[in-house]
């Protein structure tokens, strides 16, 4: 027997309708190439969104069509998000920092019909243009006055596209499972994989992100998303903002520029910001140097990689802003866990309470987490057992776009994150490794990240990486690869001794290799894949 | 094209699963007849909920079966909520204060198979038993030691029912639109009407209730729902609590007892309470008399009828607790609007900002409101235009249980609330009348409540009611009916003069009738229905 409640679909257009009624005066502030400080209200934004919807309809877009963006965070990108998804098309945000071959693969795999791009990316896209097989036209995110000369086909300025359009538009109603946006994740191997979000998943994620023990954002906050809008929809914040009526501040191409971030925070009274740790490390360094302040800032949502406790301390102790560490992935929309104190954690002794901040937080309602061993058996939440992290929920991907049978989606409906984690008795999850990097020694797991963190604490070590080496008795044993600091020296034995007493005896690496530098990926991360290739066939002294 | 996200249904059992993982140590404290202060953790509660689920299965309950409760707010009632709904049955909460004929009608109309009741209601239900045609057995909410002698058929104690059951249970998965609970609303005329909630509507309402600009509850709060669990599921708070991990304090049969409420708040450190205005008026009077304090209390969610500003002032100024006024109905799950300050409202001059508190608040995301005139045309949100209030959203009823074609559900999918309201430019809604009580004079509407509020400000007037009287020229004109204070006197002319300059000239009533007392409904509210009957055929001096 069904309940007798209204069958209202969860559509992104309902955010627009709500915000227009409830929060018309709220502001959106942006930096763009053609505006040093663009400022308008939700009401003005929504008029332009409806004009863009009319333009898209006139361009001949059909339900389900992919419309791509290559753009920084600003008001025009925000308008595209809403006009495209609410019309029933798919907003495909692309990371401009990817390799050119990846960009071509992604556009062609998605079969994007139009590409909206910032003027700064025109040279890049002109170069790619001959390889892009599906794109019918290009829209440059500026006005005619700032329009660059270009060889792009059917190129026009965004402002000229929407200028003559009517400012009324009836948003269509459709099934809430309809695709709304698309984001590719590029692993270290294989082709980029697309995650296709739905209206339903977006709205539910939005509710979850707004919970008091998640972001806790309210209509009285001023939010600056420094996480790119091509990075899992800026963690869903442009949606959450409209649900709650939050003033938004978009730094545009100045996302990595601490002086701009400081002045935006200070002048716009930003109290809530979001971005990866390196952004805040850059800002803290700038503030430390200049003596400038960000006194309005109270909360910083931070994820994408583990947040160093030293960064949390610096922001809290010197600048009065609390970091909310969070964990998620493109496949999880992204919110999986977020750090806030539970009442039980609040009551812990200071040192123990403080140490929890190294963890990625607790999972919020809607997300289910489990850690499992090699046989899929669930492991205890004791803060020590670590296993492969699996996740399930209505905003978690069930498959990749136009790919079949990826084994990360298991039979029981869980997604294998590729992370290895512990979960403590208070529910706090901590990533300890990537599945492919963990060392499996005699049926037990050794965390490569745990060993690396110890190794870099040695005064002579600049960088460290630990990889698994095949072993005839133990299957795998750890090899420590180090880069020494200039002018420093240390022996193999001294380094291995350094681990004694700090970890279980059987975790201590079997050997040390000294190298000049470690291989990096295109995005500047350590490439363990290349490192493993380099040490393929390496024979450990213990074997 | 559909998104590729996991198809996870929104089921109430997911709240249990989440809370058991994330908040096992959180407490639930109750007063019951057999426990002066019962206390256990979520984990212990969930074990008993699974035992009850096994008992229900053994009793032969089938999907969709209605299982009724007649009980105050306590831990056992809470267990029934979850065990019944999560098993796929319908938890039918009944208001024990209804007339006996209404109780019989409701149980028979719902075809309840079992009735779970507090020991205090045994005499009442024994009396009704011969008229209840569907009930197969009765479960008394106590243990064998406190079990009263009873003539109820197949009666047994709740504790004996669950004692021998296994404590594991696999919650079934089913369509999220499945019915979860049932609540009847009794109007002043006609049979009570049932609102049948679904799992989906319950979960979405739960998310909405948790929003920072709605309840703003978090896992660090201590919540005391004084609103009965038979009154729109205690405004959904027992669900929201599990989503967030909120400690709950249930006052059981002591809901109307200020000394108990004061000691529960103080001893359990309650910081968030919820209930109708009369509960808080009683508490404030008690605190004023005794000098006792409720220093932990910070927020009071208050609705059910308009909250007098004097009550908000008393709680805020003398006891440091902010009233969050809210509006909703059984048909709206119930949350429709809730009062919090928007940034624009915050910036108003003090007096203007303060005066907003008389309003019922702003609608939260998920709910859509509109006010319309007699022809269904939408009216301006100018704070002056008032019209019939309509509402739409995924937690609003689309029809009543086992009734067809109620005209409150319109063709366009809106529910007519029966309220008349204004909406101000800042989005704040204020109820100004009931649709059937508004006076329609020459095509314009006059608010009966507005006139009554003015009339009772006159020093001689104890009570006032304004009703419409048929008029040959204006269709309807207002008649003011007053009860004078003992020993006071005032003339018709003096009273009508009293309105001059305070409202539009054409709003001033055409006549005054002095009466000894005003007719009341069974629940103690003014009965305008009876008053209109009494003045049927009344001839106004202006006609």
């Amino acid at each position: 027997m069904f309940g007798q409640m209204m069958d209202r679909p969860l559509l992104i257009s309902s955010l627009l309708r709500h915000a227009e009624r409830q929060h018309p005066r709220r502001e959106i502030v942006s930096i763009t190439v053609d505006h040093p400080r663009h400022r308008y209200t939700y009401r003005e934004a929504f008029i332009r969104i409806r004009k863009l919807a009319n333009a898209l309809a006139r361009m001949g877009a059909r339900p389900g069509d992919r419309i791509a963006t290559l753009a920084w965070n600003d008001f025009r990108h925000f308008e595209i998000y809403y006009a495209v998804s609410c019309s029933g098309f798919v907003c495909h945000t692309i990371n401009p920092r990817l390799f050119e071959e990846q960009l071509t693969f992604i556009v062609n795999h998605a079969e994007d019909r139009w590409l909206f791009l910032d003027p700064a990316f025109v040279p890049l896209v002109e170069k790619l243009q001959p390889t892009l097989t599906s794109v019918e036209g290009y829209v440059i995110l500026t006005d005619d006055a700032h329009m660059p000369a270009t060889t792009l086909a059917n190129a026009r300025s965004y402002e000229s596209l929407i200028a003559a359009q009517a400012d009324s538009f009836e948003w269509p109603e459709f099934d809430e499972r309809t695709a709304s946006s698309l984001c590719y994740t590029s692993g270290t191997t294989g082709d980029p994989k697309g995650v296709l979000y739905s209206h339903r998943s977006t709205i539910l994620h939005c509710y979850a992100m707004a919970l008091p023990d998640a972001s806790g954002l309210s209509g009285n906050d001023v939010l600056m998303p420094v996480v790119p809008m091509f990075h899992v929809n800026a963690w869903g914040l442009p949606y959450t903002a409209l649900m709650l009526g939050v003033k938004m501040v978009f730094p545009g191409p100045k996302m990595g520029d601490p002086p701009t971030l400081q002045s935006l925070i200070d002048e716009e009274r930003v109290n809530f910001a979001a971005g990866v740790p390196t952004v805040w490390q850059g800002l803290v360094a700038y503030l430390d140097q200049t003596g400038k302040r960000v006194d309005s800032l109270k909360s910083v949502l931070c994820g994408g990689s583990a947040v160093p406790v030293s960064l949390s301390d610096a922001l809290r102790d010197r600048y009065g802003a609390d970091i909310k560490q969070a964990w998620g992935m493109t496949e999880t929309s992204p919110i999986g866990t977020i750090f806030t104190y539970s009442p039980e954690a609040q009551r812990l002794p200071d040192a123990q309470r403080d140490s929890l901040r190294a963890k990625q937080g607790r999972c919020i309602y809607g997300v289910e987490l489990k850690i499992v061993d090699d046989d899929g058996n669930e492991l205890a939440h004791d803060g020590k057992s670590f296993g492969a992290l699996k996740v399930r929920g209505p905003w978690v991907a069930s498959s990749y776009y136009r790919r079949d049978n990826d084994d990360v989606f298991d039979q029981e409906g869980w997604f294998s994150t590729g992370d290895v984690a512990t979960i403590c008795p208070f529910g706090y999850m901590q990533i300890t490794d990537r599945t492919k990097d963990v060392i499996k020694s005699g049926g037990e797991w050794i965390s490569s990240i745990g060993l690396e963190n110890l190794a870099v604490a040695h005064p002579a070590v600049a960088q460290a990486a630990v990889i698994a080496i095949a072993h005839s008795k133990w299957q795998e044993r750890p090899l420590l690869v180090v880069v020494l600091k200039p002018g420093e020296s240390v022996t193999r034995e001294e380094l291995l001794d350094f681990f004694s007493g700090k970890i279980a005896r059987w975790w201590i690496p079997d050997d040390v290799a000294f190298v000049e530098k470690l291989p990096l990926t295109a995005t500047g991360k350590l490439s363990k894949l290349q490192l493993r290739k380099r040490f393929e066939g390496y024979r450990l002294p213990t074997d």
Side-chain angles (χ1 to χ4, degrees), chain A residues 85-216:
Chain A
S85 298
C86 297
S87 293
F89 316 134
V90 176
C91 181
H92 175 201
T93 54
I94 304 177
N95 181 351
R97 293 163 178 155
L98 293 175
F99 296 129
E100 293 177 7
E101 315 84 74
Q102 289 178 313
L103 291 172
T104 295
F105 172 86
I106 287 173
V107 171
N108 291 342
H109 186 263
E111 296 189 71
D112 295 319
R113 287 187 67 191
W114 291 277
L115 179 55
F116 286 65
L117 64 154
D118 276 347
F121 302 125
V122 166
L124 170 68
V125 178
E126 283 178 344
K127 198 169 153 202
L128 299 179
Q129 180 172 219
T131 68
L132 306 179
T133 54
S134 59
V135 179
E136 298 170 22
Y138 298 86
V139 179
I140 318 296
L141 295 168
T142 188
D143 54 25
D144 279 355
H146 295 81
M147 184 74 178
T150 177
T151 62
L152 291 175
N154 297 318
R156 58 185 306 183
S157 78
Y158 180 87
E159 295 300 328
S160 73
L161 178 71
I162 68 170
Q165 301 297 330
D167 61 9
S168 64
F169 190 84
E170 274 296 309
W171 300 112
E173 288 223 348
F174 39 72
D175 191 302
E176 68 189 30
R177 291 167 296 177
T178 301
S180 60
S181 56
L182 176 62
C183 192
Y184 280 75
T185 173
S186 58
T188 44
T189 55
D191 291 325
K193 297 182 281 289
V195 176
L196 189 64
Y197 308 101
S198 68
H199 285 257
R200 173 184 165 96
S201 72
T202 302
I203 296 294
L204 292 176
H205 180 265
C206 201
Y207 268 129
M209 184 58 119
L211 290 176
D213 292 329
S215 76

Side-chain angles (χ1 to χ4, degrees), chain A residues 483-498:
Chain A
V483 177
L484 293 182
K485 287 182 185 162
E488 298 283 345
S489 70
V490 65
T491 65
R492 172 184 179 282
E493 285 67 31
E494 283 168 343
L495 258 184
L496 295 180
D497 273 356
F498 184 71

Side-chain angles (χ1 to χ4, degrees), chain A residues 135-341:
Chain A
V135 179
E136 298 170 22
Y138 298 86
V139 179
I140 318 296
L141 295 168
T142 188
D143 54 25
D144 279 355
H146 295 81
M147 184 74 178
T150 177
T151 62
L152 291 175
N154 297 318
R156 58 185 306 183
S157 78
Y158 180 87
E159 295 300 328
S160 73
L161 178 71
I162 68 170
Q165 301 297 330
D167 61 9
S168 64
F169 190 84
E170 274 296 309
W171 300 112
E173 288 223 348
F174 39 72
D175 191 302
E176 68 189 30
R177 291 167 296 177
T178 301
S180 60
S181 56
L182 176 62
C183 192
Y184 280 75
T185 173
S186 58
T188 44
T189 55
D191 291 325
K193 297 182 281 289
V195 176
L196 189 64
Y197 308 101
S198 68
H199 285 257
R200 173 184 165 96
S201 72
T202 302
I203 296 294
L204 292 176
H205 180 265
C206 201
Y207 268 129
M209 184 58 119
L211 290 176
D213 292 329
S215 76
L217 276 164
S218 102
N220 289 291
D221 289 321
V222 180
L223 164 71
M224 182 169 73
V226 189
V227 51
M229 290 174 75
F230 53 75
H231 185 179
V232 212
N233 300 321
W235 301 345
L237 292 167
Y239 303 115
T240 305
L242 261 61
M243 180 177 270
L244 306 170
V246 180
K247 172 178 168 180
M248 269 183 293
V249 178
F250 287 126
K254 297 291 191 178
M255 310 231 294
D257 185 52
T260 303
L261 298 182
Q262 186 275 333
S263 67
L264 278 176
I265 292 169
D266 201 46
E267 292 161 22
E268 301 296 339
R269 312 307 297 155
V270 170
N271 67 345
F272 193 109
V276 297
T278 49
V279 166
W280 311 118
Q281 284 169 321
L283 180 66
V284 164
Y286 172 75
L287 297 176
D288 286 350
Q289 278 162 24
T290 58
K292 296 205 170 168
R293 305 288 304 170
V294 285
D295 291 334
S296 59
L297 192 66
K298 297 298 167 223
S299 293
V300 174
L301 185 63
C302 194
S305 61
V307 179
V309 173
S310 60
L311 173 61
S312 300
D313 286 347
L315 264 174
R316 184 187 62 183
D317 301 340
R318 300 207 286 280
Y319 300 103
D322 265 319
I323 280 206
K324 281 177 186 257
Q325 184 168 187
W327 168 85
M329 303 174 73
T330 302
E331 291 87 341
T332 64
S333 294
I335 197 78
T337 65
I338 193 160
F339 189 89
T340 56
Y341 281 113

